[in-house]
Amino acid sequence: MTPQQISDAELAGQPAAYWTGVAYEALIAFTRAQQAAKGYTQPQFWLLRNLSENDISPDGEGMTLPELREAMTSYIRPEDDLAAEAAVLLERGWLTQDAEDRLWLTEEGEQARVDLARNAPAIRAALHEGIGDADYVTTVKVLQQLIRNAGGTVA
């Protein structure tokens, strides 16, 4: 039976964890493929964002790889190799590294972060194609309630 043949009643009985897992993997794969086509990886973008005082970093101070890994703990994937990703950014001149192994965002890195962030609206638009804002909001609210029902917290 294909998903189009499943009745609403049958869908209502299916486990949310299965569908959220399938959705997560598909969304991550799509996003990463779009970013790779533009010449960068999601972890590289995260490194730039976490080191930018104009984005996630509260102070723009450099961070070590373990500190960055800790900062990204809620979204980094097990296969993400931050050392290898940082090495690429160091080679591009987007990061520098000091004697204490702290990574710092360069001016070129900040400009790259700004430029790469411009890709996000197109990725979002492709993912949201055929989904109205009201349906999207309802979906997120349902997911938030499922999280609360499971004892989790919603940020």
Side-chain angles (χ1 to χ4, degrees):
M1 182 176 279
T2 66
Q4 292 80 15
Q5 296 172 324
I6 298 174
S7 72
D8 287 356
E10 290 170 312
L11 279 175
Q14 293 189 350
Y18 168 77
W19 287 109
T20 57
V22 171
Y24 174 77
E25 292 300 330
L27 296 170
I28 292 295
F30 179 85
T31 300
R32 288 183 174 212
Q34 296 299 304
Q35 291 170 327
K38 300 283 187 182
Y40 67 101
T41 68
Q42 192 171 48
Q44 289 168 359
F45 186 52
W46 290 337
L47 285 166
L48 297 175
R49 293 191 66 203
N50 275 274
L51 291 168
S52 174
E53 66 183 332
N54 299 310
D55 202 335
I56 296 174
S57 175
D59 55 17
E61 292 296 312
M63 297 173 75
T64 64
L65 283 172
E67 290 169 336
L68 284 159
R69 196 170 289 109
E70 177 65 26
M72 298 181 204
T73 193
S74 68
Y75 49 89
I76 194 167
R77 293 175 58 95
E79 68 269 20
D80 293 339
D81 183 345
L82 288 187
E85 301 291 359
V88 171
L89 299 180
L90 286 163
E91 186 176 305
R92 289 181 183 172
W94 295 356
L95 298 180
T96 60
Q97 192 167 28
D98 66 20
E100 287 82 38
D101 288 330
R102 297 179 79 74
L103 295 167
W104 296 84
L105 189 62
T106 65
E107 286 183 33
E108 295 83 6
E110 176 61 15
Q111 186 58 55
R113 182 197 63 79
V114 169
D115 293 343
L116 298 177
R118 291 187 182 118
N119 295 316
I123 294 170
R124 183 192 186 282
L127 290 171
H128 286 239
E129 186 175 339
I131 302 168
D133 285 348
D135 286 340
Y136 181 76
V137 168
T138 298
T139 300
V140 172
K141 287 180 177 182
V142 168
L143 290 171
Q144 290 174 333
Q145 187 60 48
L146 287 167
I147 292 164
R148 285 189 292 273
N149 290 349
T153 57
V154 176

